[in-house]
Amino acid sequence: MSTRLDEFRTKRQRMNERILQRAPLGIKRFFNLDTSAYKDGALPGRTKELLGLVASAVLRCNDCIDYHLIQCVEAGFRDDELYEALNVALVVGGSIVVPHLRHAFETIELLRAEEKA
Amino acid sequence: MSTRLDEFRTKRQRMNERILQRAPLGIKRFFNLDTSAYKDGALPGRTKELLGLVASAVLRCNDCIDYHLIQCVEAGFRDDELYEALNVALVVGGSIVVPHLRHAFETIELLRAEEKA
Amino acid sequence: MSTRLDEFRTKRQRMNERILQRAPLGIKRFFNLDTSAYKDGALPGRTKELLGLVASAVLRCNDCIDYHLIQCVEAGFRDDELYEALNVALVVGGSIVVPHLRHAFETIELLRAEEKA
Amino acid sequence: MSTRLDEFRTKRQRMNERILQRAPLGIKRFFNLDTSAYKDGALPGRTKELLGLVASAVLRCNDCIDYHLIQCVEAGFRDDELYEALNVALVVGGSIVVPHLRHAFETIELLRAEEKA
Amino acid sequence: MSTRLDEFRTKRQRMNERILQRAPLGIKRFFNLDTSAYKDGALPGRTKELLGLVASAVLRCNDCIDYHLIQCVEAGFRDDELYEALNVALVVGGSIVVPHLRHAFETIELLRAEEKA
Amino acid sequence: MSTRLDEFRTKRQRMNERILQRAPLGIKRFFNLDTSAYKDGALPGRTKELLGLVASAVLRCNDCIDYHLIQCVEAGFRDDELYEALNVALVVGGSIVVPHLRHAFETIELLRAEEKA
């Protein structure tokens, strides 16, 4: 079942490479800015990944949720911490976020299964 | 100039009270849920206020930004920490967030002026 | 205090007239379509005004909320009915809708004051 | 072809159960609030399902549209009534809603086919 | 691999026909308005297709992006022109647009492959 | 009446300067990216300003609409061209865009009055 995440990672990387080969300079610079925004700074990088997760959830983008969940799990967040962050997203964004909450809970399960394997 | 924040606080409180007097039970319960979402739990309350700030910024709601900035400043976040959180919001949400970034920077100034006074 | 609604009505009418004088045919036709969508049909016009109110609330547009509240009050909806419709908007749209809920409650008060006057 | 709806129902129920097993109290309470918002009250529950449908359509969430269409068909709305509600969503939300209109029309067909079967 | 676009075209046409058979007059008129908005006028139709593409990208609708990319390629836009338009969408809409940028780049590749075939 | 635009320009410039003095490097780089996105390239800068206008209108940001209208008028677009671009935004974004259409028409009037003065 973990193929959903593998497919996401493979397709994401393939298309990002294609974009970076072909895109104008502005798009490449945006990609750099995006990466830099989550590095350690005045706030720890892991806190900023959590900010990215909640922003992705209220804006309702499953690919963005998956990406930030991968980063958050790698940064060592526990399930109960991720659930509370998602609860903030749910309260701010309302029931329209619920389908993305279901998606996020499934992704967390898949990521924990990967950790065990 | 701090009157902008005072007006916001006064109007917010007056209308919230009116809503709680008149609204059906569902709305009152939502208000309770909203308050509870930012209490200390698996994540510290102050981290969740920062999540609320970024969610408000990417969803582009000045009143919500002001409310969470008030809470974040009270929770002891420094300017450089708030700016980095807002940078995440800017990168996720794009230039359409810029007018709200200007609003947020002004609110931070007003809140620091209140602290000094 | 009812001047907020009067100003809204005056400015709305003035600018709509200006648009209809100058705009290309497509914009005029859109305005006609918009008006027609709320006429009695398979569903009563008043039910469709309530649909317009909730759509405006979850999309967080105060001018649109005011417009549909004016129509809903004219169509005879009671406060408790309007509050329940707004509760649906709050649950679907989340706490980011709360500032618009405050706005809507104030508008309802202003409209009831106009009815009495 | 009705498998699309069956898959939706199965996956929705499975993940909702998982969320309710694991999620913090806030998320569970939100789910209760969400259910309560559509019960008979000052407005009939069926009117509120129609409000939920239009809110889901303008916010462009196919899963939410499907859920509320299932409820609306169960509540006895006819096709012409559902189409007029969707027309309000189209006019309010614009052509960006059209792909969701196509989805909604297909879902209505699937639900009518289930009724006949 | 071009089947993704073929499936999109087939399903889009089938459901649009179904909508036009069954929908109330308002929806049909909306479809006409939508088509007319991109015809040559004060601005060339091709410029308006580019406007439609950017609007679709910042509102994050893959079907709408595909539709306008098909029109833009037919109108003779080169890849570097499309990429710059998408860069504007990325800067305005932020990293939440990135998954749709990946989708758009893939669609452009598919359309160029169709041209060669 | 042109004071609305003057106030917008003054406040925008003052807060942008404040942001550039205080903000972390990421925000400054974002501002540069934003400026660069509208320079002449594969597409003329003026076409990209029109793209920025329509993106701003469908995302419903009055400050962003005003900024891009100022640029579009400076780039020599006529009223009928601007109206057609706004028509695309209206059709894509729906009636929720109408209050912003009213705002945009007023801004165009103010800008033409400034040109005459």
Side-chain angles (χ1 to χ4, degrees):
Chain A
M1 184 167 161
S2 181
T3 51
R4 169 159 80 71
L5 284 180
D6 287 337
E7 268 172 37
F8 165 69
R9 287 184 185 105
T10 306
K11 183 157 190 190
R12 181 177 177 278
Q13 189 178 344
R14 181 168 56 81
M15 289 314 301
N16 278 1
E17 281 167 13
R18 208 74 62 91
I19 289 172
L20 293 176
Q21 280 162 19
R22 305 192 176 185
L25 195 56
I27 292 184
K28 287 171 199 169
R29 283 190 177 144
F30 189 96
F31 274 54
N32 285 337
L33 258 191
D34 187 14
T35 307
S36 305
Y38 301 95
K39 297 242 187 271
D40 286 330
L43 291 169
R46 70 194 299 270
T47 300
K48 292 191 277 191
E49 286 296 344
L50 211 61
L51 297 173
L53 172 64
V54 169
S56 301
V58 296
L59 290 174
R60 302 186 282 128
C61 171
N62 279 347
D63 278 8
C64 311
I65 289 171
D66 284 352
Y67 175 75
H68 287 293
L69 278 175
I70 290 170
Q71 302 300 108
C72 284
V73 163
E74 204 163 293
F77 282 109
R78 296 185 317 268
D79 284 5
D80 60 348
E81 293 172 316
L82 297 174
Y83 296 161
E84 281 204 0
L86 291 168
N87 184 33
V88 171
L90 178 64
V91 167
V92 175
S95 72
I96 208 81
V97 172
V98 169
H100 304 274
L101 194 71
R102 288 195 283 266
H103 183 87
F105 268 70
E106 191 187 73
T107 299
I108 294 171
E109 278 183 39
L110 293 170
L111 288 168
R112 296 310 180 196
E114 286 185 358
E115 283 182 327
K116 280 188 193 152
Chain B
M1 186 166 160
S2 181
T3 50
R4 169 159 81 70
L5 284 181
D6 287 337
E7 269 172 37
F8 165 69
R9 287 185 185 102
T10 306
K11 184 158 189 188
R12 182 178 176 277
Q13 190 178 344
R14 180 167 56 81
M15 289 314 301
N16 278 2
E17 279 166 17
R18 209 75 63 91
I19 289 172
L20 293 176
Q21 281 163 18
R22 305 192 177 185
L25 195 56
I27 292 183
K28 287 171 198 168
R29 283 189 177 146
F30 189 95
F31 275 53
N32 285 337
L33 259 191
D34 188 15
T35 307
S36 306
Y38 301 96
K39 298 244 186 266
D40 285 332
L43 291 170
R46 71 195 298 271
T47 300
K48 291 192 277 190
E49 286 295 344
L50 210 61
L51 297 173
L53 172 64
V54 168
S56 302
V58 296
L59 291 173
R60 303 187 281 127
C61 171
N62 279 347
D63 278 7
C64 312
I65 289 170
D66 283 352
Y67 175 75
H68 286 294
L69 278 175
I70 290 169
Q71 301 300 108
C72 284
V73 162
E74 204 163 293
F77 282 109
R78 296 187 315 269
D79 284 4
D80 60 348
E81 293 171 316
L82 297 174
Y83 296 161
E84 282 203 359
L86 291 168
N87 185 33
V88 170
L90 178 64
V91 166
V92 174
S95 71
I96 208 82
V97 172
V98 169
H100 304 274
L101 194 72
R102 287 195 284 265
H103 183 86
F105 268 70
E106 191 186 73
T107 299
I108 293 171
E109 277 183 39
L110 293 170
L111 289 167
R112 295 310 180 196
E114 285 184 358
E115 283 183 325
K116 280 189 194 151
Chain C
M1 185 168 161
S2 182
T3 50
R4 169 159 83 69
L5 285 180
D6 287 337
E7 270 172 35
F8 165 70
R9 287 185 185 103
T10 307
K11 183 157 189 189
R12 181 178 176 278
Q13 190 178 345
R14 180 167 57 80
M15 289 314 302
N16 278 2
E17 280 167 15
R18 208 75 62 92
I19 289 172
L20 293 176
Q21 280 163 18
R22 306 191 177 186
L25 195 56
I27 292 183
K28 286 171 199 168
R29 282 189 178 146
F30 189 95
F31 274 54
N32 285 337
L33 260 191
D34 187 15
T35 306
S36 306
Y38 301 96
K39 299 245 186 265
D40 284 333
L43 292 169
R46 70 194 298 270
T47 301
K48 291 192 277 191
E49 286 295 344
L50 211 60
L51 296 174
L53 172 63
V54 168
S56 301
V58 297
L59 291 174
R60 302 187 281 126
C61 172
N62 280 347
D63 278 7
C64 311
I65 289 170
D66 283 352
Y67 175 75
H68 287 292
L69 278 175
I70 290 168
Q71 303 299 108
C72 284
V73 162
E74 204 163 295
F77 283 109
R78 297 185 316 267
D79 283 4
D80 59 348
E81 293 171 315
L82 296 175
Y83 297 161
E84 281 205 0
L86 291 168
N87 185 34
V88 171
L90 178 64
V91 167
V92 175
S95 71
I96 208 82
V97 172
V98 169
H100 304 274
L101 194 71
R102 288 195 284 265
H103 183 87
F105 268 69
E106 192 186 73
T107 298
I108 294 171
E109 278 183 40
L110 294 170
L111 289 167
R112 296 308 180 197
E114 286 184 357
E115 284 182 325
K116 280 188 194 153
Chain D
M1 184 167 161
S2 181
T3 51
R4 168 158 83 70
L5 284 181
D6 287 337
E7 269 172 36
F8 166 70
R9 287 185 185 104
T10 307
K11 184 158 189 188
R12 182 178 176 278
Q13 190 178 344
R14 181 168 57 81
M15 289 314 302
N16 277 2
E17 281 167 14
R18 208 74 63 91
I19 289 172
L20 292 176
Q21 280 162 19
R22 305 192 176 184
L25 195 56
I27 292 183
K28 287 171 199 169
R29 283 190 178 145
F30 189 95
F31 275 53
N32 285 338
L33 260 190
D34 187 14
T35 307
S36 306
Y38 301 95
K39 299 241 186 271
D40 284 332
L43 291 169
R46 70 194 298 269
T47 301
K48 291 192 278 191
E49 286 295 344
L50 211 60
L51 297 173
L53 172 64
V54 169
S56 301
V58 296
L59 291 174
R60 302 187 282 127
C61 172
N62 279 347
D63 278 8
C64 312
I65 289 170
D66 283 352
Y67 175 75
H68 286 292
L69 278 175
I70 290 169
Q71 302 300 108
C72 284
V73 163
E74 205 163 293
F77 282 109
R78 297 185 317 267
D79 284 5
D80 60 348
E81 294 171 315
L82 296 174
Y83 297 161
E84 281 204 359
L86 291 168
N87 185 33
V88 170
L90 178 64
V91 166
V92 175
S95 72
I96 208 82
V97 172
V98 169
H100 304 275
L101 194 72
R102 288 195 283 265
H103 183 86
F105 268 69
E106 191 187 73
T107 298
I108 294 170
E109 279 183 39
L110 293 170
L111 289 168
R112 296 308 180 197
E114 285 184 358
E115 283 182 325
K116 282 188 193 153
Chain E
M1 184 165 161
S2 181
T3 51
R4 168 158 81 69
L5 284 180
D6 286 337
E7 270 172 37
F8 165 69
R9 287 186 185 101
T10 307
K11 184 159 190 189
R12 181 177 177 279
Q13 190 178 343
R14 181 168 56 81
M15 289 314 302
N16 278 2
E17 280 167 15
R18 208 74 62 89
I19 289 173
L20 293 176
Q21 280 163 18
R22 306 192 177 185
L25 195 56
I27 292 183
K28 287 171 199 168
R29 283 189 177 146
F30 189 95
F31 275 53
N32 285 338
L33 258 191
D34 187 14
T35 307
S36 306
Y38 301 96
K39 299 243 187 268
D40 285 332
L43 292 169
R46 69 194 301 269
T47 300
K48 291 192 277 191
E49 286 295 344
L50 211 60
L51 296 173
L53 172 64
V54 169
S56 302
V58 296
L59 291 173
R60 302 186 283 127
C61 171
N62 279 347
D63 278 8
C64 311
I65 289 170
D66 283 352
Y67 175 75
H68 287 293
L69 278 174
I70 290 168
Q71 302 300 108
C72 284
V73 163
E74 205 163 292
F77 283 109
R78 297 185 316 267
D79 284 4
D80 60 347
E81 293 171 316
L82 297 174
Y83 296 161
E84 281 204 359
L86 291 168
N87 185 34
V88 170
L90 178 64
V91 166
V92 174
S95 72
I96 208 81
V97 172
V98 169
H100 304 274
L101 193 72
R102 286 195 285 265
H103 183 88
F105 269 70
E106 192 186 73
T107 299
I108 293 170
E109 278 183 39
L110 294 169
L111 289 167
R112 295 309 180 196
E114 285 184 359
E115 284 182 324
K116 281 188 192 152
Chain F
M1 185 168 163
S2 182
T3 50
R4 168 158 82 70
L5 284 180
D6 287 337
E7 269 173 35
F8 165 69
R9 287 185 186 105
T10 307
K11 183 157 190 189
R12 182 178 175 278
Q13 189 179 344
R14 181 168 57 80
M15 289 315 301
N16 278 2
E17 280 167 14
R18 207 74 62 92
I19 289 173
L20 293 176
Q21 280 163 19
R22 305 192 177 184
L25 195 56
I27 292 183
K28 287 171 198 167
R29 283 188 177 146
F30 189 96
F31 275 53
N32 284 337
L33 260 190
D34 187 14
T35 306
S36 306
Y38 301 96
K39 298 242 186 270
D40 285 332
L43 291 169
R46 71 196 297 271
T47 301
K48 291 191 278 190
E49 286 296 342
L50 211 60
L51 296 173
L53 172 64
V54 169
S56 301
V58 296
L59 291 174
R60 303 187 281 129
C61 171
N62 279 348
D63 278 8
C64 311
I65 289 170
D66 283 352
Y67 175 75
H68 287 292
L69 278 175
I70 290 169
Q71 302 299 109
C72 284
V73 163
E74 203 163 294
F77 282 109
R78 297 186 316 267
D79 284 4
D80 59 349
E81 294 172 315
L82 296 174
Y83 296 161
E84 282 205 359
L86 291 168
N87 184 34
V88 171
L90 178 64
V91 167
V92 175
S95 72
I96 208 83
V97 172
V98 169
H100 305 274
L101 194 72
R102 287 195 283 266
H103 183 86
F105 268 70
E106 192 186 72
T107 298
I108 294 170
E109 277 183 39
L110 293 170
L111 288 168
R112 295 309 180 197
E114 285 185 358
E115 284 182 325
K116 280 190 193 151

